Amino acid sequence: MATEQFTGAEIVIKALKDQGVDTVFGYPGGAVLPIYDAIFKQNDIKHVLVRQEGGAVHAAEGYARSTGKVGVVLVTSGPGATNAVTGLTDALLDSIPLICLTGQVPTHLIGNDAFQEADTTGITRPCTKHNYLVRDIETLSRTMHEAFYVAQNGRPGPVVIDLPKDVQQGKIDTYLAPEDVKHRSYRPQVNGEVDHINEAVELIANAKRPVFYVGGGVINSGSSASAVLTELVRLTGAPCTTTLMGLGAYPGTDKQFLGMLGMHGTYEANLAMYNCDVMINVGARFDDRITGVIDEFSPDSKKIHIDIDASSINKNVMVDLPIVGDAGRVVEEILRIWKEKKHSLDTKSLKAWWLRIDEWRAKDCLGYVQDGPIIKPQHAIKRLYELTKDRKPYITTEVGQHQMWAAQYFHFDEPKKWMTSGGLGTMGYGLPAAVGAQLAHREDLVIDISGEASFMMNMQELGTIAQYKLPVKIFIVNNQWMGMVRQWQQLLHGNRHSESYSDALPDFVKLAESFGLKGMRCEKAEDLDQMLQEMIDSPEPVIFDCQVAKEENCYPMIPSGAAHYEMLLGPEDSAAKPISEEGMVLV
Amino acid sequence: MAPMDTNIESRTIAVLVDNEPGVLARVIGLFSGRGYNIESLTVTEVDVAHGLSRITVVTSGTAQILEQIKAQLGRLVPVHRVRDLTKEGTSVERELALIKVAGAGEKRVEALRIADIFRARVVDSSHDHFVFEMTGKSDKLDVFVDLMQPLGLIDVSRTGVVAISRGAKAL
C-alpha cells in the first residue's frame, strides 16, 4: 500500500483541525488558491468570507477575545497581507492570540517583485509576536503547530505564517501531530518566584490603603484567573480598579469596584491610585493612558507588579516588587498563602480608606443630566446597558468618545464580554470584531457600540453580516463629529475644529436596508427606550442610528501632562485649568 | 518611587539565538524600533550542530533602559539566552581590525615602526602599501587608527566587539 500523500494545503487544513480550529476568517486570492481548494473539499472548518482583509483580522480578534481561543486568518499575498497589518498590530498591542496565514509567491519568484509579492515577513516582523516564512514543505506541519504554541503561550500575540504557493502545492508523506512538536527554546515563565510571592502577601497584609489595579492579563489568563482574583479582592476587602482592557476581570457591579481608571477613568479610581500605600498591579502595564504624568504617579505607594512579560516590568514605572508569571497562577498562589496564614487587613485603616473613597465617589464623576428631547450620549449607553444587562451581551466598540462612554456606563460582571481596541486605538475595529464574536456565539446578543466616523472605516463588513445572517446590533452614537478629536481641538487647540466634522454621512437606515438589514433612527430621548427594546428584540442585524447631543465632551478627564489628582470633572473644570504646553505635545 | 537614574553606561550583551532567517533583522529592528543605541554588533554561527548563533552587541543607555533592552531581547521567540557581560562578572573583549596604509619613504617606515609597537601584523604589502591586522580592545584599535591617519591611512575594516565571560562558566 502506498503511503498517504498530503499537499501543503492539506497539511495546513489538517494542522488547523488538530489545533481545534473551527472557524477561519479570510479572503481568497491567487497565492492562496490551493488552500481555498483544500477548504472546499472538507466540512470541519468553516471559512467566513469578509469584505476586506483588515476586517478578517479584527473578526478573528473578536472571535479570540470572546472565546479565549486562537483566532485564525487566511489572506493572500501582497495587498492581502498588507491589509492585515493594522489588525496584526492591534492584536500585538492588546495581546490577542492570532494565527495569520498569508499566501506568498512561489519560492523561486521571491525577491523578484513578482505580481502581488510583498516582503510579508519583513513588513510584519515588528507587528507580530513572531513570524515564519515556510520555504520547505518538510517544515510545514512543525511550523504550524509551533506557531499555535507561540501565539497562546507567554504573553499572547499574533503570529504570521507566510506560505509560498509552491509549498502549498508540494506533496509530502509525513505529518507531525501537535504532540510531536515541541518548541526548542520558547518557555515563558508562568509561575512567579516563591520568595516574591511571599513578600507580596506580607506587603498586602500590612497595607493601610491598598488598591488592586487589574489589566487585560487577567482576562488572557482565563476565566479561572478572574475567579481567583475576585476571591482575593473580596477576601481582603480592598478596592479594585481595572484598565480598559481589564473590564470584566473583576465584577463591574461589585461594591468594591471603583470603575475604570486612567485618562477617562473615574475620580475615585484615580484618586485611590494616587493616594494608596500598596498597589497590586495584576496583568496591567502602566500604560500612559493610565499613569498620567509619570513623575506624579502614585508617589507614596509600594508597587507590586505581576506580569507574564518581563519587559513590562520597570518600563514606564519603577516598581518595588516585580513578579514575572501568569496572572492567574500568581494570584492563586497569593490567595492560597493569604488563607493559609489567615491574614486580614487592619480593619480600622481599611475603614478609614473606604471613607475617603466614598467621599470621592460622592462627587458622582459620571453624573450627567438628561433633560429635554436631545439624547445625551451617556444616557444612550446607560439605557442600552440597563435594557440589555440581563442578556449578558458581548460588547465591541470602535475608538473615540463612544468607546470611553461605553467603558464608563456599561458594566461587565464577567470576562470575555468586552472587546475594544485599547493599545492601538484602531477606529473600525468594533464592527468586524462583532462579526467574530457573533460567529462564536450565535445565540447571544452582540452589540457594536460605534461612532458614526469609526463605523465608516470598516462598514464594508455589513456584507459579511448580511451573508452569514449575523444578528449583530450596530449601535451608532451619532454626534456627527469625530468626537474625541473635536474634544481635544476644543481643549487644546482653541476650538479650531480642523477636519473633524463628519460630513456627507449616509442615511444609515437606507444603508442598512440596502444590505437587507434593519435600520432604525432615534432622534428623541422619549423614544429611546422603546426603540432600544425593539432593536434588542429583533432577530435581525440592526443598524441603530442614535442621534445624540453633538458637542458633549467625555469626562472625567486627566488632561495630557497632568497627574491623577488634576482630573477635570466637567466643562467648568476645563475652563479653570488650562492644559500645559508640555501636555500639548503628548498624545 | 526611586528617582530615575540618568547616568549613561555602556554594556556588552551576549545573545544566543536560533540561527534562522530574519533573526538578525529581529534584533536590529528591536533596537531601531525602540530607539536604543547600537555601538557595535557582531553575529555568526557558533554551534553548527544545534544551529545556534551568537550576537554580541555593545549598547548604551541609563540603567533602566539597559534592563529594558535585555528584557526586550529576552522575549524574542528565537532568543535562547541573554547575558550582560559587563554587569554579570568580568569578561574579555576583543576586536579585530584590518588597516590599509599607503605611502612611501619616511611615513612608510614610521607606519611599520608603530605597527611593531602595537603588535600589529603585516598581512599584505607592496612597495607602496601595507595591510595591518590587529587584535585588541577597541580603544587600542582606535589609538592605532588615529596614529596611522597622518601616515597614509586609506582604508579600515573592523569586526566590532566579540566578548566572552572570564572563568569556567559557559553562557
Side-chain angles (χ1 to χ4, degrees):
Chain A
M1 198 180 94
T3 47
E4 197 183 355
Q5 291 251 319
F6 306 99
T7 66
E10 285 163 356
I11 286 187
V12 168
I13 299 301
K14 191 168 165 55
L16 293 177
K17 271 185 219 168
D18 285 352
Q19 289 290 341
V21 174
D22 53 17
T23 310
V24 171
F25 301 88
Y27 202 101
V32 278
L33 285 178
I35 297 178
Y36 273 85
D37 202 38
I39 286 176
F40 189 83
K41 293 176 187 161
Q42 56 83 52
N43 290 316
D44 297 321
I45 293 174
K46 180 183 174 67
H47 178 273
V48 177
L49 178 68
V50 296
R51 295 301 182 268
Q52 200 255 25
E53 292 87 349
V57 188
H58 294 319
E61 285 185 275
Y63 180 93
R65 193 91 183 146
S66 66
T67 59
K69 290 161 61 176
V70 178
V72 181
V73 178
L74 173 60
V75 297
T76 194
S77 62
T82 56
N83 277 343
V85 164
T86 299
L88 293 169
T89 313
D90 191 273
L92 182 71
L93 284 201
D94 284 347
S95 310
I96 314 289
L98 293 187
I99 297 291
C100 179
L101 304 164
T102 55
Q104 182 55 279
V105 301
T107 46
H108 69 274
L109 284 179
I110 289 178
N112 262 349
D113 298 327
F115 177 64
Q116 292 198 327
E117 181 186 356
D119 175 9
T120 300
T121 46
I123 289 168
T124 60
R125 200 169 285 128
C127 65
T128 52
K129 180 174 175 185
H130 195 53
N131 63 16
Y132 300 87
L133 169 61
V134 181
R135 287 178 170 275
D136 182 355
I137 192 170
E138 293 270 351
T139 63
L140 180 57
S141 55
R142 165 177 293 278
T143 303
M144 289 289 298
H145 298 313
E146 218 183 88
F148 272 87
Y149 169 80
V150 169
Q152 299 171 82
N153 284 278
R155 181 172 178 175
V159 177
V160 162
I161 309 174
D162 202 21
L163 298 163
K165 197 170 181 182
D166 55 331
V167 172
Q168 299 171 37
Q169 285 176 311
K171 285 197 170 138
I172 193 168
D173 56 13
T174 52
Y175 169 82
L176 292 176
E179 55 275 19
D180 298 333
V181 175
K182 193 164 185 256
H183 197 282
R184 57 186 297 208
S185 59
Y186 187 64
R187 304 274 182 281
Q189 185 177 336
V190 290
N191 294 317
E193 278 190 47
V194 178
D195 290 354
H196 291 179
I197 290 177
N198 280 314
E199 220 179 303
V201 172
E202 292 308 311
L203 207 50
I204 301 168
N206 290 306
K208 293 187 166 61
R209 301 182 309 279
V211 66
F212 283 87
Y213 153 42
V214 173
V218 173
I219 293 178
N220 276 333
S221 177
S223 302
S224 64
S226 291
V228 288
L229 174 86
T230 304
E231 190 181 346
L232 178 66
V233 173
R234 286 188 175 146
L235 205 55
T236 59
C240 178
T241 175
T242 74
T243 66
L244 182 69
M245 296 305 292
L247 290 171
Y250 186 83
T253 53
D254 189 270
K255 62 183 191 318
Q256 280 169 254
F257 185 58
L258 304 183
M260 179 177 78
L261 80 163
M263 185 173 269
H264 293 289
T266 67
Y267 187 68
E268 51 270 33
N270 285 323
L271 283 193
M273 290 288 279
Y274 185 79
N275 289 289
C276 68
D277 71 340
V278 173
M279 178 188 296
I280 309 112
N281 171 345
V282 191
R285 60 184 173 97
F286 294 109
D287 176 86
D288 56 66
R289 298 291 101 161
I290 293 303
T291 59
V293 63
I294 291 279
D295 294 345
E296 296 203 63
F297 175 73
S298 193
D300 302 322
S301 62
K302 291 270 185 204
K303 298 176 185 70
I304 302 167
H305 186 183
I306 303 164
D307 204 302
I308 199 155
D309 179 0
S311 76
S312 285
I313 309 261
N314 293 339
K315 182 169 69 176
N316 301 330
V317 170
M318 301 302 280
V319 299
D320 303 276
L321 183 54
I323 303 176
V324 175
D326 174 75
R329 296 252 198 122
V330 173
V331 171
E332 195 179 346
E333 201 50 21
I334 291 176
L335 180 64
R336 188 186 64 76
I337 299 169
W338 185 273
K339 285 180 182 166
E340 192 180 281
K341 297 203 168 175
K342 299 193 169 58
H343 276 309
S344 64
L345 290 174
D346 176 52
T347 324
K348 213 175 126 197
S349 311
L350 189 63
K351 199 176 166 204
W353 180 222
W354 274 110
L355 280 174
R356 284 180 76 184
I357 292 169
D358 287 340
E359 276 173 39
W360 299 323
R361 267 183 172 165
K363 285 259 188 188
D364 189 21
C365 69
L366 296 178
Y368 63 90
V369 181
Q370 172 64 49
D371 52 4
I374 298 172
I375 305 167
K376 282 272 173 79
Q378 300 93 323
H379 181 66
I381 290 173
K382 194 171 183 185
R383 292 308 300 154
L384 181 67
Y385 166 65
E386 280 163 0
L387 293 171
T388 59
K389 63 184 176 191
D390 293 342
R391 296 198 37 189
K392 301 187 172 171
Y394 291 86
I395 302 294
T396 70
T397 78
E398 312 289 341
V399 170
Q401 286 184 321
H402 70 273
Q403 176 190 29
M404 292 298 110
W405 283 317
Q408 291 170 338
Y409 295 95
F410 228 95
H411 303 299
F412 300 91
D413 281 336
E414 47 192 286
K416 298 182 192 157
K417 296 286 186 181
W418 163 249
M419 283 143 274
T420 193
S421 172
L424 194 63
T426 311
M427 290 172 71
Y429 165 90
L431 178 52
V435 168
Q438 186 79 76
L439 272 152
H441 309 275
R442 294 296 298 227
E443 305 303 319
D444 289 289
L445 181 60
V446 177
I447 306 171
D448 169 28
I449 298 180
S450 182
E452 82 291 340
S454 285
F455 170 82
M456 300 286 285
M457 281 217 180
N458 267 327
M459 67 177 200
Q460 78 283 349
E461 298 309 328
L462 291 176
T464 311
I465 287 172
Q467 180 178 345
Y468 295 95
K469 301 185 172 55
L470 301 173
V472 169
K473 311 294 184 261
I474 302 157
F475 186 74
I476 302 176
V477 181
N478 183 357
N479 58 10
Q480 294 176 34
W481 286 101
M482 295 162 210
M484 196 59 94
V485 173
R486 187 204 53 72
Q487 177 169 343
W488 279 54
Q489 288 172 334
Q490 182 191 332
L491 297 177
L492 287 106
H493 295 276
N495 237 344
R496 290 178 296 280
H497 295 155
S498 182
E499 302 294 325
S500 52
Y501 186 66
S502 289
D503 211 339
L505 287 170
D507 178 328
F508 290 111
V509 175
K510 283 188 185 156
L511 180 69
E513 287 164 2
S514 74
F515 278 94
L517 319 179
K518 184 179 169 77
M520 299 173 74
R521 179 175 299 115
C522 182
E523 292 163 310
K524 288 195 208 109
E526 64 193 61
D527 300 336
L528 183 66
D529 275 20
Q530 173 240 321
M531 290 187 75
L532 278 174
Q533 197 58 53
E534 188 186 333
M535 173 187 86
I536 297 160
D537 293 341
S538 170
E540 291 174 89
V542 180
I543 298 180
F544 191 110
D545 177 7
C546 187
Q547 305 219 335
V548 299
K550 290 188 174 39
E551 293 180 358
E552 191 70 16
N553 283 341
C554 186
Y555 290 108
M557 178 180 184
I558 303 174
S560 41
H564 280 165
Y565 61 87
E566 296 173 294
M567 279 204 104
L568 309 177
L569 289 175
E572 306 76 25
D573 267 4
S574 301
K577 300 178 197 160
I579 291 166
S580 67
E581 275 188 40
E582 298 82 58
M584 283 183 65
V585 301
L586 303 172
V587 288
Chain B
M1 203 163 65
M4 298 277 178
D5 187 357
T6 52
N7 194 27
I8 304 283
E9 311 167 42
S10 179
R11 296 270 179 89
T12 304
I13 295 169
V15 192
L16 201 62
V17 299
D18 285 326
N19 181 22
E20 61 179 34
V23 67
L24 185 60
R26 247 175 250 289
V27 170
I28 292 173
L30 189 156
F31 276 79
S32 64
R34 293 184 183 268
Y36 305 143
N37 298 314
I38 297 181
E39 289 172 8
S40 156
L41 186 140
T42 68
V43 56
T44 199
E45 193 168 42
V46 290
D47 183 344
V48 179
H50 297 97
L52 292 174
S53 288
R54 179 161 167 146
I55 297 173
T56 308
V57 56
V58 181
T59 182
S60 62
T62 62
Q64 188 198 4
I65 293 287
L66 291 163
E67 290 308 310
Q68 256 303 295
I69 290 173
K70 287 185 274 177
Q72 292 288 352
L73 285 168
R75 76 176 186 148
L76 294 178
V77 172
V79 167
H80 289 238
R81 269 196 288 285
V82 179
R83 288 285 179 276
D84 185 335
L85 294 176
T86 311
K87 202 180 162 196
E88 299 166 27
T90 55
S91 60
V92 184
E93 291 189 8
R94 288 293 179 268
E95 186 176 357
L96 184 143
L98 295 170
I99 298 134
K100 190 178 282 186
V101 180
E106 264 309 301
K107 285 186 175 176
R108 183 172 157 83
V109 176
E110 179 66 1
L112 196 59
R113 204 178 63 81
I114 293 173
D116 194 40
I117 295 168
F118 276 77
R119 296 199 189 103
R121 291 202 305 140
V122 176
V123 291
D124 182 48
S125 71
S126 69
H127 290 300
D128 48 15
H129 90 284
F130 288 118
V131 174
F132 297 115
E133 176 200 305
M134 195 172 142
T135 308
K137 295 191 81 169
S138 301
D139 51 359
K140 182 180 157 192
L141 268 52
D142 293 342
V143 173
F144 184 72
V145 169
D146 281 352
L147 287 170
M148 289 297 120
Q149 203 77 49
L151 302 176
L153 179 83
I154 57 167
D155 219 356
V156 182
S157 177
R158 295 171 66 155
T159 58
V161 173
V162 293
I164 205 157
S165 63
R166 290 184 186 274
K169 270 179 77 177
L171 186 73

